[in-house]
Amino acid sequence: DNDFTFAPLDDVVMGGASSSNFDDATGKWKGSVTDANNGGFIGIRSTPYVDWDMVNCQGIALKLATPSGTRLKVVLRDSVEFNGISWTSSKDVDANGKTIKIPFSKQVPTMFAKTVSGQTFSKDQVKGIQLVFSKFEYDGALNPKFSVGDFQVQVEEIRAY
């Protein structure tokens, strides 16, 4: 049962030329990513939701599959501020659809792929989740599994644990 919907948030918002879409009925996220015009990312972001109280949870688990294997950023937000602090983890996804776990304690507070110190994650008011395929990791480092071209991920399950 899906309690929220995803919408694309691609590098076109910053002048890039990548594009993606998400099919809520099938859980398929696909698109094309390019680094033209200083771009290099595609993403999907859930619509802001009422507070998800995850105080009794240790993290989130996602069952994802991608034909070629890749590294995604999994982002949680504890604010409805559109460009606010993002709680980010980079995870490798493979073709087997295995479940990846994101412990809250291992998330990195970021803003526009730059780490931000002195932040505290509010797991009692999680507002949304975002998946990002980007050429950037953190603080200018590059994603070693990034490549331009067609992209596809099957989102099978997202749950708290």
Side-chain angles (χ1 to χ4, degrees):
D1 187 27
N2 187 0
D3 292 335
F4 53 84
T5 58
F6 281 111
L9 185 60
D10 303 325
D11 63 20
V12 294
V13 299
M14 301 172 76
S18 303
S19 65
S20 70
N21 62 64
F22 184 78
D23 184 334
D24 283 310
T26 65
K28 191 168 286 186
W29 172 32
K30 60 184 179 176
S32 180
V33 65
T34 177
D35 54 8
N37 300 336
N38 295 317
F41 73 88
I42 57 175
I44 52 173
R45 187 172 179 176
S46 67
T47 53
Y49 199 70
V50 296
D51 295 340
W52 289 317
D53 186 344
M54 297 188 185
V55 167
N56 295 320
C57 302
Q58 299 302 309
I60 61 167
L62 302 95
K63 188 173 182 184
L64 308 169
T66 183
S68 58
T70 192
R71 179 171 295 167
L72 295 180
K73 288 183 179 178
V74 179
V75 180
L76 291 179
R77 294 184 175 272
D78 60 358
S79 164
V80 294
E81 191 176 335
F82 191 80
N83 290 325
I85 300 295
S86 301
W87 297 90
T88 308
S89 296
S90 293
K91 289 291 186 176
D92 292 339
V93 179
D94 65 24
N96 297 324
K98 70 177 185 176
T99 299
I100 55 175
K101 289 188 172 184
I102 310 290
F104 295 140
S105 62
K106 301 290 185 188
Q107 293 177 302
V108 178
T110 63
M111 184 176 282
F112 300 111
K114 294 183 177 149
T115 56
V116 181
S117 62
Q119 304 298 311
T120 303
F121 179 63
S122 298
K123 63 182 183 174
D124 62 330
Q125 58 183 12
V126 177
K127 303 289 187 188
I129 186 168
Q130 184 174 347
L131 301 176
V132 182
F133 178 56
S134 175
K135 72 178 181 180
F136 297 105
E137 284 284 313
Y138 309 100
D139 300 323
L142 298 178
N143 176 352
K145 296 192 174 187
F146 176 80
S147 62
V148 298
D150 292 338
F151 173 86
Q152 180 177 305
V153 168
Q154 180 68 48
V155 179
E156 297 179 18
E157 181 181 46
I158 301 174
R159 63 178 172 80
Y161 70 90

